[in-house]
Amino acid sequence: MTGPTSPASTGAVVLMLHGGAPRGLDEVGRRSASLWRTTRMRAVLEPRLAAEGVATYLLRYAVRGWNEGVAAEPSPVPDARWALAGLAREHPGTPVVLLGHSMGGRTAVRVADHPAVVGVVGLAPWLELGDPVAALAGRHLLLGHGSRDRITSARATRAYVERARPVTASAEFADLGRLGHYMLARQETWNRFALESVLAVLDRAGVRRGRDARDRSTQE
């Protein structure tokens, strides 16, 4: 797991979860396209979030596939739980937003029941009809999808938001227009949506950050 390059007063944490493949037990190496795309986004978001008092972490899974049915849980889920446990030790009591692309979005909604998690932001998430919503109870959910995506389904994402709405603190689908899946074209649109959505989730959860968080820490 890659952490912030420059430590700062931390009022919240973002854990970024990259995409993957339906199946695959190969190691996620540094040349992974899914990891590379999310790493590029993290490089843009980290300084902007740091200015808001938010620390940014990126998890690299052990293997590239979702691999449902291979073990008790899909492959990236234990990795994400491990990362959340580590963040809870490093930043005790600090709220966490999960930011996932594609398979990362699917992973995020599975592990959102960790006590530190206040919400999930999904970018073109891979979601299917049977995916559970229970882990999102009391959390904030914000999922964005483009109409030109031919890898994952905007319609399925919208349907998931509707199914999750009764258990969440808030649930919103954002139509990102004529965007595809891989976050290569119109990168600034993806980056802006990710940044604004993370901050919106923190605001909805009532999380103080930036100067507010620093003022609070000096008063305690």
Side-chain angles (χ1 to χ4, degrees):
M1 182 167 61
T2 306
T5 56
S6 56
S9 176
T10 302
V13 169
V14 170
L15 176 60
M16 299 184 71
L17 303 170
H18 63 81
R23 294 194 173 273
L25 296 175
D26 295 337
E27 179 184 356
V28 177
R30 294 184 180 276
R31 300 181 69 178
S32 162
S34 297
L35 176 64
W36 176 78
R37 286 191 293 269
T38 306
T39 300
R40 283 174 60 90
M41 175 175 279
R42 179 178 181 271
V44 174
L45 296 187
E46 184 186 13
R48 301 181 190 182
L49 287 169
E52 298 283 344
V54 180
T56 307
Y57 289 78
L58 170 59
L59 173 66
R60 180 168 67 179
Y61 311 128
V63 299
R64 66 186 297 267
W66 179 251
N67 302 320
E68 190 155 25
V70 174
E73 292 185 296
S75 293
V77 172
D79 295 346
R81 294 194 189 283
W82 169 84
L84 286 167
L87 291 175
R89 290 191 298 270
E90 188 168 348
H91 301 282
T94 302
V96 176
V97 176
L98 301 172
L99 173 60
H101 173 245
S102 193
M103 187 178 78
R106 196 178 195 189
T107 303
V109 299
R110 295 288 181 105
V111 302
D113 54 356
H114 188 280
V117 174
V118 297
V120 169
V121 175
L123 311 171
W126 170 29
L127 295 165
E128 297 189 357
L129 183 60
D131 284 335
V133 300
L136 291 161
R139 275 69 173 180
H140 299 273
L141 178 67
L142 210 170
L143 305 181
H145 220 123
S147 62
R148 299 186 68 182
D149 194 327
R150 298 296 180 262
I151 305 300
T152 58
S153 167
R155 180 177 297 180
T157 297
R158 190 188 294 270
Y160 186 87
V161 169
E162 292 304 315
R163 287 198 293 117
R165 186 163 282 125
V167 304
T168 58
S170 69
E172 181 181 342
F173 173 85
D175 183 345
L176 299 184
R178 295 179 62 79
L179 288 181
H181 184 73
Y182 291 114
M183 303 194 302
L184 297 176
R186 296 171 60 188
Q187 291 180 30
E188 184 52 39
T189 300
W190 286 108
N191 293 336
R192 183 171 59 251
F193 175 76
L195 176 65
E196 292 176 353
S197 298
V198 165
L199 297 179
V201 165
L202 291 172
D203 287 343
R204 292 171 190 180
V207 175
R208 300 172 68 184
R209 60 182 193 276
R211 178 177 295 179
D212 287 343
R214 290 192 290 273
D215 291 346
R216 180 184 61 187
S217 65
T218 59
Q219 293 168 6
E220 292 175 348

